[in-house]
Amino acid sequence: NITVTGTSFSILSATAAIVNTGNTVTIDILLTGAIINTFTETITITSDDVDEPNFSFPITGDISAAPEPEIEVFQGLAEILDGQLAAVDFGSTNQGTDITLQFSIGNGGSAALNISNISITGTAFTITSTIPTVSKFDEPSPMFDVSLSGAMGGTFTETMTIESDDSDESTFVFTITGTIIGINQPPVFNPTTLTSVINGFVTLTLTDIVSDPDGNLDPTSFSIIQQPQSGAAATLANAIL
């Protein structure tokens, strides 16, 4: 008979045989890979050997985790976490100039990471280089560029998603933000709202006479630089003269 202690190892071949003089018999033993661990058990061969009727010896084996990729994303040297609250900031620049940052996709696992897609919500940010398709754990991390368009002024915030075969982060999501400082437009004077009054008083609301295309008109910034020929203008108060 042939037996094995425990349940991790099992005997696949026949457990009883006749071994003729000078011959051998092959024994097939299986270690199951269902559980990750190191296993040690004992094989015992029972026979009619006169001085070794019970021939025993230990067997051991190790089941390790299957190789898996593990995505890692960086902007420069700064690591980005999946779902992090803080947006990756592109900073700011004047209208007419794009801002470009370079990202890299690392692999902290032990198998190749296959990248299926990289997408960005909205239209302010675009991927301006070739999208990498694989990140190997034993090679330099592939890189790609993302640009914030300087065509329009404003602060823009969008979401980037990297899709891969990472087992627990198959969709890696984070936000990106940046500011384009718009070109300052001069105020516009509208004289059609003025009313002429002789020997009397007139109240002027300067925000009705002057408008700002940028929407940044500050009523407290008005000042009187020339008095009328007759009389004197009252002091400004909330843009009312």
Side-chain angles (χ1 to χ4, degrees):
N1 191 29
I2 302 174
T3 59
V4 58
T5 59
T7 58
S8 299
F9 294 89
S10 58
I11 301 172
L12 300 181
S13 56
T15 58
I18 296 175
V19 183
N20 295 320
T21 303
N23 292 337
T24 59
V25 173
T26 301
I27 304 171
D28 296 326
I29 300 174
L30 172 71
L31 170 60
T32 179
I35 300 175
I36 300 172
N37 207 340
T38 297
F39 304 91
T40 300
E41 296 180 4
T42 301
I43 290 277
T44 299
I45 303 173
T46 303
S47 70
D48 58 358
D49 186 289
V50 176
D51 58 348
E52 294 174 304
N54 295 306
F55 188 97
S56 299
F57 57 94
I59 55 176
T60 188
D62 181 73
I63 302 298
S64 58
E68 290 186 354
E70 178 60 37
I71 188 171
E72 298 174 340
V73 180
F74 296 87
Q75 196 288 298
L77 298 177
E79 184 173 6
I80 303 169
L81 302 180
D82 180 25
Q84 69 178 34
L85 296 179
V88 176
D89 194 352
F90 279 56
S92 62
T93 191
N94 293 325
Q95 187 173 348
T97 302
D98 296 345
I99 306 175
T100 300
L101 292 184
Q102 189 172 74
F103 295 81
S104 61
I105 302 177
N107 184 358
S110 54
L113 175 74
N114 295 299
I115 305 161
S116 55
N117 190 38
I118 302 176
S119 59
I120 303 174
T121 59
T123 58
F125 295 88
T126 55
I127 300 171
T128 52
S129 63
T130 302
I131 296 177
T133 58
V134 64
S135 177
K136 297 183 177 180
F137 66 93
D138 55 352
E139 293 184 5
S141 302
M143 300 182 179
F144 65 98
D145 297 331
V146 176
S147 295
L148 170 60
S149 172
M152 296 180 59
T155 296
F156 305 91
T157 300
E158 297 179 1
T159 300
M160 185 185 299
T161 300
I162 302 174
E163 300 175 50
S164 71
D165 60 353
D166 184 292
S167 61
D168 60 349
E169 295 173 304
S170 58
T171 53
F172 190 102
V173 180
F174 59 96
T175 55
I176 53 179
T177 189
T179 299
I180 301 299
I181 303 171
I183 299 173
N184 187 34
Q185 302 292 326
V188 178
F189 178 61
N190 181 19
T192 60
T193 59
L194 294 176
T195 302
S196 297
V197 176
I198 300 175
N199 296 325
F201 295 93
V202 62
T203 298
L204 302 177
T205 301
L206 298 185
T207 51
D208 294 336
I209 303 172
V210 181
S211 61
D212 184 6
D214 299 316
N216 297 322
L217 196 63
D218 181 7
T220 63
S221 66
F222 289 105
S223 62
I224 302 171
I225 61 174
Q226 181 178 341
Q227 292 289 351
Q229 293 180 354
S230 177
T235 302
L236 284 170
N238 294 324
I240 297 177
L241 181 63

